[in-house]
Amino acid sequence: MSSTEQPVEVAAYLHQLDVALADVPKSTAGEIRLGIAEELASLPPDEARDRIIQLGDPTFIASEAREGAEPPQARSGLSSRVYVIVASLAVAVGGLIVPIVGWVVGYILVWLSPAWRRWEKVVAIVAPPGAGLLIAGYFTIAELQSRAAMALPSDQLVLPLASVVIWNATVAFALANLAIGVWLLVRALRRQ
């Protein structure tokens, strides 16, 4: 149905929605307006009237959109596109450039930014050491099992246990940081 064929109620509802969405970020308001307008346009007049009742007050829809939208002051430098990219890269490869310190700087940059939710920040900080510990545990158990299977004396190792465990845990930690850095970058850029 074209806009000229819209029932008066649909046109009035869309006008009220436009007024209510005036202070919502333009991209969010546009998506909401377009979605509702398309849905109502695809319905016969009686069903469109019923759907308007189901949708409810446009001011409520706008308030929900405002709550989900990022406040304008949060779009400061700490959530800018450049900051997000730098912070994500620091988490991903910072420790390879400046051992350990690079990753710590990346974690601090991520924690300070409103570009990520708190649970994402916690995952970013906990996952890499967790991966390193899991791999360290795996290689420790594997070494102890291989030693037991070969019936070697406890003081004779098949491989130097500490070096194998540390090397593999470090590699797991680095790969986890790389994956987390990419994940953080994707999550933040999707919201911008």
Side-chain angles (χ1 to χ4, degrees):
M1 147 186 355
S2 71
S3 61
T4 57
E5 300 174 20
Q6 286 182 336
V8 175
E9 294 90 348
V10 171
Y13 186 81
L14 292 175
H15 176 70
Q16 291 172 352
L17 184 63
D18 289 337
V19 170
L21 291 172
D23 60 342
V24 173
K26 289 186 190 284
S27 62
T28 304
E31 288 176 20
I32 292 170
R33 169 49 157 103
L34 181 64
I36 291 175
E38 286 178 352
E39 180 181 358
L40 294 175
S42 70
L43 298 172
D46 291 338
E47 290 179 27
R49 287 182 193 100
D50 292 341
R51 183 64 181 133
I52 287 171
I53 293 168
Q54 291 173 347
L55 288 170
D57 186 9
T59 56
F60 178 75
I61 293 171
S63 69
E64 290 291 313
R66 266 185 237 99
E67 287 178 18
E70 195 173 302
Q73 66 271 18
R75 294 283 300 156
S76 66
L78 294 178
S79 62
S80 70
R81 189 175 199 85
V82 172
Y83 185 93
V84 164
I85 292 169
V86 168
S88 299
L89 284 174
V91 168
V93 295
L96 301 176
I97 297 167
V98 181
I100 306 301
V101 174
W103 284 317
V104 171
V105 168
Y107 295 143
I108 291 170
L109 292 174
V110 166
W111 198 261
L112 292 175
S113 175
W116 293 281
R117 293 184 173 96
R118 182 165 296 176
W119 72 267
E120 292 169 330
K121 296 173 184 181
V122 170
V123 167
I125 291 171
V126 171
L133 288 173
L134 283 173
I135 294 299
Y138 170 78
F139 278 96
T140 300
I141 291 169
E143 172 63 26
L144 294 174
Q145 286 177 342
S146 69
R147 186 181 330 150
M150 294 180 168
L152 295 174
S154 62
D155 61 340
Q156 182 182 357
L157 300 175
V158 176
L159 293 170
L161 180 61
S163 64
V164 170
V165 170
I166 291 170
W167 170 253
N168 286 298
T170 303
V171 169
F173 184 79
L175 290 175
N177 271 307
L178 180 62
I180 289 292
V182 171
W183 177 74
L184 287 170
L185 181 64
V186 169
R187 298 283 300 177
L189 291 180
R190 278 188 183 163
R191 285 193 279 271
Q192 289 189 346

